[in-house]
């Protein structure tokens, strides 16, 4: 067989060697090694082999021989030379096969490395499912809107694209032409070694090339990762902006896309609404939640922090820190943040300053929720925590159960904590997370008895033993811990038992260090090594997974039943509303407040529509009513007692100046402010026929009182008003007869009013006259008889002296008293003087009225300054000055009202309404009644039912 192969090879070699084309070149087969020639031609000794002289240029070996060779013409051998058996085709084929294997191996290795690197990069990338809402809906519907098949048909064919590519065959031929195949006179093995050396360089080049490709791929991956990181940052920024836009009211009518909420956030919103709707947690609220209960300082807050993976709660050494229930909603998110439901601020839980601020905010909210005289509060604080790797659930941290009330606590603190714990645990679907301190004696536990009362079968209780590290050190018998975990020591039953370690007791420890310490402890603990504890019963991580699974199992089992219960409640409330209020809309408290707010603002705007004449008439009338007594008693009457007109005018001017400087401007501003209040009250309390809704009366009254309390008149108004009034009173020039008659009319009305009041006072003093005594069968009292006798005696005195001054002399008082005593009437001098004051006042007013009648024809004498006339009408001029001052003051006050004060009052009303709108307690107090409460309940039940149905739908989709 070997000979057959050798003979065949010899035939091939002879045919190749004998082929001659007239060119003096040797065949590449002559470059074969001597060993190969001895194998192919054993009957040709190597010593007899003669090499013909070279007739061509030296071949240069370079890296170009790595390129694939194209079909090459055989080199001609000059006639007369011995033909050599060179197998250059086999050698070329073997080298090409080696190159193929190298390329194939490099491709497979590089592909595997690239796939592995891609998988690592893919694992490092965050989950972008939560950001799908950012992409508009029409992007996902492009395949329906755009016909991609038509686009593909419109693109050029592959043949047309291939024409644009370069001709790789021509490029290969050009590179091959640069190669040579002959060496410069060295033996055949030299050329072979050069070729092998080129092959080694080629192999090294391949290795270097693969390494460079891997480096390039890694750099590309890093660049892609940075690109996506920047994209994520941009998306997060846009996400925050979009959330702000969604939270704002759509005043401009712009349609805003609703944010897609996570499942746990939807469920947490339902619980928040329920807490507002039913604070007592009656049978209506049976939705699941994880209730964290335990003795004080048992470590329940630390367990909750380990589950939330952040130190978010305030801490204290031995004192009560949890003073109110704290609802914590845990959900998964790209960033570890926390925020309250009623606040837009986000606390970055990876920063220590934000953690400190969050703990401080929780402590402040707890203290603010506690009423005066109490230690704990039933008000729930709602907190949401998002972060990578967090288990989705809703937990409620309750105040720790205590056995003794210490100093500084309210006497009912213990009972209040027990009632809060029972209220949460009596929910049949609530999961009870019972925290027991492992470092204290089990007999001192209080919470276990409470839990066993609420859940005697242990169908919804998870028992957690904390501080196991201290328990292992302190407990003499480790089997006691095993008995606790197996549920044999306590009388209570539970679904599962867990043992955890929540740190070394240092409040400054981080969550990561506590986790490391917990894992290290359980790895080295004898409890695990001796199989007293099972691996799935330790660490807070396993506890968190178990609680989350139990929570969602309970949610799926009970949420539809609760939705049906609220649906039935909604039907009952709607039926009750239709029967009681068939023609009224179902407006809740906030909607009713908005309606009342609009009505109040409309009524305030009505103040600007009051005519100037109406303002001036009211102001002038009210101001004169307020100052008329002062004008008559302190200005007119004293001046009228003077002897001549000069003294009268001097006295009037002095008293008017004093009055203007001290009292009049302030009195005018008071009158204006009271007038504004009266008009405002009239508009607020005025009933508007059938459209009037008395449910707003209490709110309107409160708004009116608070607005009046806040309003302050402009302080500069009195200064400007003082100058105007002073100038008006200094003017004595009556321009025409009409003004003169108006002044007389004003004076007569004033005097008649005063005379009427005086007559009424005298009648009260002396009793009824003889007509009333006969008609109404009434009599006089003894004092009234004395007053009547005194009155008669004083009237005789005035008749004797019509020019009698305003005051009685002492001798006149004595004379009157003696005259009365002669008629057996004993009277006190003070009674005589009081009676004289009223009698003389009536006499003076009647005389002044008679003087007014005489002065009706005195305008002519006034123009001549009463020259050559016995008639003097200075009192008419005084009342004209007063009347003109009242008109000018009323006009000035009207301008201040309409230009300034009404607008300021409207602003105050808006501020009061805004304050009331933010104060829910105030709205509850002012908008009350069965109708309001029924509408509130109906709104809440509808909202709860709708959110529960949306949550159930999302829950089914997640399944």
């Amino acid at each position: 067989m070997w000979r057959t192969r050798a003979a065949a090879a010899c035939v091939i070699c002879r045919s190749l060697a004998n082929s001659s084309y007239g060119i003096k070149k040797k065949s590449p087969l002559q470059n074969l090694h001597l060993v190969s020639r001895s194998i192919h031609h054993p009957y040709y000794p190597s010593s007899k082999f003669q090499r013909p002289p070279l007739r061509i240029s030296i071949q240069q070996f370079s890296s170009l021989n790595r390129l694939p060779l194209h079909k090459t013409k055989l080199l001609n051998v000059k006639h007369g030379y011995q033909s050599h058996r060179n197998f250059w085709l086999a050698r070329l084929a073997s080298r090409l096969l080696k190159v193929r294997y190298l390329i194939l191996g490099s491709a497979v290795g590089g592909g595997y490395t690239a796939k592995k690197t891609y998988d690592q990069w893919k694992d490092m990338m965050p989950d972008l499912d939560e950001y799908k809402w950012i992409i508009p809906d029409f992007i996902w519907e492009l395949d329906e809107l755009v016909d991609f098949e038509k686009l593909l048909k419109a693109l050029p064919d592959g043949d047309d694209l291939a024409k644009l590519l370069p001709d790789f065959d021509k490029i290969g031929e050009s590179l091959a032409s640069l190669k040579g195949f002959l060496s410069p006179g060295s033996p055949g093995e030299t050329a072979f070694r050069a070729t092998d050396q080129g092959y080694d360089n080629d192999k090294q080049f391949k290795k270097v090339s693969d390494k460079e490709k891997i480096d390039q791929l890694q750099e590309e991956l890093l660049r892609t990762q940075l690109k996506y990181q920047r994209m994520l940052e941009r998306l997060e920024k846009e996400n925050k902006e979009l959330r702000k836009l969604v939270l704002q009211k759509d005043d401009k009518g712009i349609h805003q896309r609703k944010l897609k909420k996570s499942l746990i956030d939807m469920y947490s919103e339902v619980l928040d609404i329920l807490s507002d709707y039913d604070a007592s947690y009656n049978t209506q609220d049976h939705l699941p939640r994880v209730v964290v209960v335990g003795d004080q300082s048992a470590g329940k807050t630390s367990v909750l922090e380990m589950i939330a993976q952040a130190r978010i709660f305030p801490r204290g050494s031995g004192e009560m820190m949890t003073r109110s229930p704290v609802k914590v909603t845990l959900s998964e998110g790209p960033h570890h943040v926390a925020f309250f439901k009623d606040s837009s601020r986000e606390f970055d839980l990876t920063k220590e300053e934000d953690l400190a601020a969050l703990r401080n905010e929780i402590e402040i909210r707890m203290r603010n929720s506690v009423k005066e005289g109490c230690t704990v509060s039933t008000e729930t604080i709602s907190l949401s925590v998002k972060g990578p790797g967090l288990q989705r659930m809703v937990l409620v941290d309750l105040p720790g159960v205590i056995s003794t009330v210490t100093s500084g606590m309210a006497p009912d603190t213990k009972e209040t904590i027990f009632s809060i714990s029972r209220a949460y645990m009596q929910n049949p679907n609530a999961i009870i997370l019972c925290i027991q301190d492992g470092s204290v004696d089990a007999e001192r536990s209080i919470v276990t008895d409470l839990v066993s009362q609420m859940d005697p079968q242990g169908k919804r209780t998870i028992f957690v033993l904390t501080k196991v590290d201290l328990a292992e050190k302190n407990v003499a018998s480790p089997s006691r811990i095993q008995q606790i975990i197996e549920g044999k020591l306590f009388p209570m039953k539970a679904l599962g038992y867990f043992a955890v370690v929540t740190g070394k007791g240092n409040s400054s420890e981080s969550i990561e260090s506590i986790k490391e310490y917990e894992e290290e402890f359980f790895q080295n603990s004898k409890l695990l090594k001796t199989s007293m504890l099972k691996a799935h019963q330790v660490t807070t991580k396993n506890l968190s997974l178990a609680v989350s699974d139990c929570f969602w199992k309970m949610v799926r089992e009970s949420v539809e039943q609760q939705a049906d219960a609220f649906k039935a409640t909604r039907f009952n409330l709607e039926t009750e509303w239709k029967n009681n209020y068939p023609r009224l809309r179902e407006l809740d408290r906030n909607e009713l407040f908005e309606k009342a707010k609009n009505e109040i603002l409309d009524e305030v705007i009505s103040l600007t529509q009051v005519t100037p004449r109406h303002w001036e008439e009211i102001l002038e009338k009210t101001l004169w009513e307020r100052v008329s007594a002062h004008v008559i008693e302190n200005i007119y009457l004293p001046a009228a007692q003077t002897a001549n007109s000069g003294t009268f005018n001097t006295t009037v001017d002095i008293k008017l100046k004093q009055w203007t400087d001290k009292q009049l401007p302030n009195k005018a501003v008071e009158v204006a402010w009271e007038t504004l209040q009266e008009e405002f009250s009239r508009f607020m309390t005025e009933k508007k026929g059938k459209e009037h809704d008395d449910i707003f009366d209490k709110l309107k009254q409160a708004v009116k009182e608070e607005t009046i309390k806040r309003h302050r008149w402009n302080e500069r108004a009195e200064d400007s008003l003082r100058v105007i009034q002073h100038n008006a009173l200094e003017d004595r020039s009556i321009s025409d007869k009409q003004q003169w008659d108006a002044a007389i009319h004003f004076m007569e009305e004033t005097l008649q009013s005063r005379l009427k009041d005086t007559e009424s006072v005298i009648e009260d003093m002396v009793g009824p006259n003889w007509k009333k005594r006969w008609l109404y069968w009434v009599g006089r009292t003894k004092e009234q008889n004395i007053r009547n006798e005194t009155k008669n005696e004083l009237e005789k005195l005035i008749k004797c002296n019509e020019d009698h001054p305003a005051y009685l002399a002492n001798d006149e008082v004595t004379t009157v008293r003696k005259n009365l005593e002669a008629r057996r009437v004993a009277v006190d001098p003070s009674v005589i003087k009081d009676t004289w004051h009223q009698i003389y006042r009536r006499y003076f007013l009647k005389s002044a009225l008679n003087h007014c009648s005489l002065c009706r024809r005195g305008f002519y004498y006034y123009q001549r300054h009463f020259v050559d006339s016995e008639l003097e009408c200075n009192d008419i001029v005084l009342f004209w000055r007063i009347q003109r001052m009242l008109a000018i003051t009323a006009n000035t006050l009207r301008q201040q009202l309409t230009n300034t004060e009404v607008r300021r009052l409207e602003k105050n009303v808006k501020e009061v309404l805004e304050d009331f709108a933010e104060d829910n307690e105030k709205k509850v107090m002012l908008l009350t009644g069965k109708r309001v409460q029924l509408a509130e309940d109906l709104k809440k039940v509808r909202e709860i039912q709708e959110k529960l149905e949306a949550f159930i739908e999302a829950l089914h989709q997640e399944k």
Side-chain angles (χ1 to χ4, degrees), residues 296-297 314-321 505 507:
Q296 184 178 347
S297 302
R315 314 182 70 83
S317 57
E319 61 177 327
M320 179 182 292
M321 297 305 297
S507 60

Side-chain angles (χ1 to χ4, degrees), residues 769-778:
N769 55 19
W770 63 272
K771 291 183 180 180
K772 291 183 178 180
R773 290 200 303 271
W774 281 97
L775 293 175
Y776 300 105
W777 291 82
V778 292

Side-chain angles (χ1 to χ4, degrees), residues 13 97 106 147 244 257 271 412 418 423 443 489 508 607 610 623 640 691 708 723 742 823 834 863 879 891 945:
C13 294
L97 288 175
S106 300
D147 193 353
K244 291 180 181 178
R257 181 184 178 87
L271 295 182
D412 62 341
F418 269 87
E443 290 75 13
L489 189 61
S508 61
L607 284 174
V610 177
L623 181 59
E691 297 181 358
I708 292 173
V723 176
R823 294 200 299 269
D834 291 341
Q863 289 180 327
F879 276 90
N891 181 270
Q945 184 199 356

Side-chain angles (χ1 to χ4, degrees), residues 9-21 25-30 41 49 74-86 88:
C10 292
V11 173
I12 295 172
C13 294
R14 290 193 192 99
S15 64
L16 291 174
N18 292 331
S19 59
S20 175
Y21 294 92
K25 292 182 180 179
K26 76 173 183 177
S27 173
L29 289 175
Q30 295 177 359
H41 308 282
F49 184 80
L74 296 175
L75 298 177
N76 299 326
V77 182
K78 191 176 181 181
H79 295 281
Y81 287 94
Q82 183 181 355
S83 60
H84 300 282
R85 300 166 183 164
N86 297 326
W88 60 275

Side-chain angles (χ1 to χ4, degrees), residues 26 40 45 54 57 86 105 142 209 240 288 309 353 370 396 403 420 427 487-488 526 623 631 644 670 726 845 895 903:
K26 76 173 183 177
H40 286 87
L54 295 176
S57 60
N86 297 326
L142 280 178
S209 178
K240 291 182 179 179
Q309 299 182 12
E353 57 269 16
V370 177
V396 182
S403 58
I420 293 174
N427 179 0
K488 298 178 180 179
K526 296 179 181 179
L623 181 59
V631 171
N644 52 48
E670 289 180 1
H726 183 72
L845 292 174
Q895 293 180 9
R903 295 180 181 178

Side-chain angles (χ1 to χ4, degrees), residues 186-198:
S186 58
E189 54 266 14
T190 305
F192 182 75
R193 283 195 294 269
T195 306
D196 292 341
Q197 185 178 2

